[in-house]
Amino acid sequence: MIWCVIVLALIVIVLAFALYFQVKGSHDQANEQETLLKDYQRRVDEQQQLLEDYRALEKNFNNVGEGYEQALDLYDKMEENSRKLEERNTFLEKQNKELQTANSGHEENKRTSKEYLEQVVKEMAKEVDKLDPSVAGRIIGLVHKVQDINELGNDTAIERNDNVVADQVAKQAVAESAIDQCQYFTFELKVSPQAASMLQTNVKQAAHALALVLDNAKKFTTEGSVTLNVDADLQESKVTYAVEDTGMGVPTVEAEKIFEPFVKLNSYFDGQGLGLTFARSIARRLGGELVLDTAFTGKGARFVMTLPM
């Protein structure tokens, strides 16, 4: 009976060991399968990441390719623009040389023409001196106009070699403009005691400039009076010639514009709008000035020409 119990006990023990090892084997197998599954999933994830990286690289490569093609196109355009620009510069340089050559020829022709015209004017002046004064006045005026046009734009200083009394310039200007012969207004020459001072200038040019201002007053004064005031400022060492008229006047905003070439505020009057331009040019070349007195409160206008003593 005991042996039966022992045998049964051994059988139970054997079965227990067998069951243990079977359970343990199943558990180990399950762990191994889980490990294999995780490893498989890891590999799948790695492959998925590699696939995404590949696609990203492929996309970047395509973008780089497109950028490279765009860069090539841009470079070709830059090369084309550079070529066109070089051709344009070459054309402009050639044109500039041609213009410089033409301008040099033009300046030379201008200089020659000016010298020839000066010679003709001198010869005309000599011939005019031989004429009767009653018929020479008009021709002298034309000669002066030709001289003025020939000197337009010239800013070279005029030599002042004449020493005269200040009122001599005024008297000569009155004679040249013949303003004292007008019948439709009165003319008066007023000379202050200070104007008895000596003036170093070019009498002919100074008188002509003043005559042009008197001509302007004569042209725009249809009634009333024109007055030429001669004064001298010993402290500032200058002589003043002020021409006052009762004409149409000049708006203050036009005070500088009227001295520009070919400017005419009233197209109904004769002339080319050069008289005041020439007058100011001469005054400045003599070291003086010619301005419109914008503070003048009279009916017409007041022009003031100053010359250094």
Side-chain angles (χ1 to χ4, degrees):
M1 187 65 180
I2 295 172
W3 289 105
C4 291
V5 172
I6 293 172
V7 170
L8 288 174
L10 291 172
I11 292 172
V12 169
I13 292 171
V14 170
L15 290 175
F17 274 104
L19 180 62
Y20 169 76
F21 284 110
Q22 184 178 5
V23 171
K24 185 177 182 301
S26 297
H27 182 72
D28 292 340
Q29 186 178 7
N31 289 336
E32 185 178 356
Q33 288 179 349
E34 184 178 358
T35 300
L36 291 174
L37 181 62
K38 289 181 179 179
D39 185 62
Y40 173 76
Q41 185 64 42
R42 181 178 60 78
R43 293 179 181 275
V44 170
D45 292 340
E46 289 178 352
Q47 290 180 352
Q48 183 66 29
Q49 183 64 41
L50 288 174
L51 181 61
E52 292 178 357
D53 292 342
Y54 172 77
R55 289 175 178 174
L57 288 173
E58 184 180 26
K59 183 177 180 181
N60 291 335
F61 179 79
N62 292 334
N63 291 337
V64 170
E66 293 177 358
Y68 178 73
E69 292 178 357
Q70 292 176 355
L72 286 179
D73 292 339
L74 181 60
Y75 179 77
D76 291 339
K77 291 180 181 179
M78 289 176 62
E79 285 289 318
E80 180 66 17
N81 291 334
S82 177
R83 184 184 63 78
K84 291 181 179 179
L85 182 60
E86 186 176 355
E87 292 177 354
R88 182 64 177 173
N89 287 338
T90 301
F91 171 77
L92 290 176
E93 288 177 359
K94 180 180 178 181
Q95 191 175 44
N96 183 51
K97 290 180 180 178
E98 292 176 353
L99 289 174
Q100 287 179 345
T101 302
N103 185 60
S104 298
H106 175 71
E107 289 295 326
E108 179 63 21
N109 292 335
K110 181 180 177 182
R111 184 186 62 80
T112 304
S113 299
K114 185 174 181 179
E115 291 177 354
Y116 176 74
L117 188 57
E118 288 176 352
Q119 185 63 33
V120 171
V121 168
K122 290 179 181 179
E123 293 177 2
M124 289 174 62
K126 292 179 181 179
E127 294 299 322
V128 168
D129 291 338
K130 301 177 184 178
L131 298 177
D132 186 275
S134 61
V135 296
R138 178 63 176 171
I139 300 178
I140 291 175
L142 294 175
V143 172
H144 284 157
K145 287 184 179 180
V146 173
Q147 287 177 321
D148 290 337
I149 293 175
N150 197 40
E151 290 294 320
L152 185 62
N154 188 356
D155 57 359
T156 305
I158 299 173
E159 293 185 0
R160 299 183 289 138
N161 298 323
D162 301 324
N163 289 303
V164 297
V165 180
D167 66 346
Q168 182 177 336
V169 173
K171 293 175 180 178
Q172 192 164 323
V174 171
E176 181 179 329
S177 65
I179 193 170
D180 56 340
Q181 305 299 319
C182 291
Q183 303 297 322
Y184 47 91
F185 60 77
T186 60
F187 172 76
E188 185 177 6
L189 171 60
K190 296 182 179 181
V191 182
S192 72
Q194 291 82 359
S197 303
M198 296 301 293
L199 173 67
Q200 184 175 2
T201 188
N202 184 307
V203 176
K204 183 178 179 181
Q205 293 286 0
H208 180 53
L210 185 56
L212 289 172
V213 181
L214 292 173
D215 283 336
N216 183 77
K218 183 170 65 174
K219 183 185 299 184
F220 293 101
T221 304
T222 56
E223 62 179 2
S225 64
V226 175
T227 304
L228 171 57
N229 294 289
V230 184
D231 199 359
D233 189 329
L234 300 180
Q235 290 184 346
E236 296 189 8
S237 188
K238 66 179 181 180
V239 176
T240 301
Y241 300 92
V243 179
E244 300 177 8
D245 64 58
T246 58
M248 58 183 295
V250 180
T252 302
V253 294
E254 307 288 351
E256 284 300 313
K257 187 176 181 180
I258 56 174
F259 292 103
E260 296 177 4
F262 306 107
V263 172
K264 296 175 64 176
L265 300 185
N266 193 320
S267 59
Y268 292 102
F269 291 90
D270 295 333
Q272 289 74 41
L274 290 170
L276 293 176
T277 303
F278 295 143
R280 171 177 272 189
S281 175
I282 295 172
R284 288 180 172 178
R285 291 170 64 196
L286 288 171
E289 184 59 278
L290 173 62
V291 298
L292 173 70
D293 184 2
T294 56
F296 181 62
T297 58
K299 179 182 178 182
R302 183 174 187 264
F303 288 87
V304 179
M305 185 176 81
T306 56
L307 294 176
M309 297 178 65

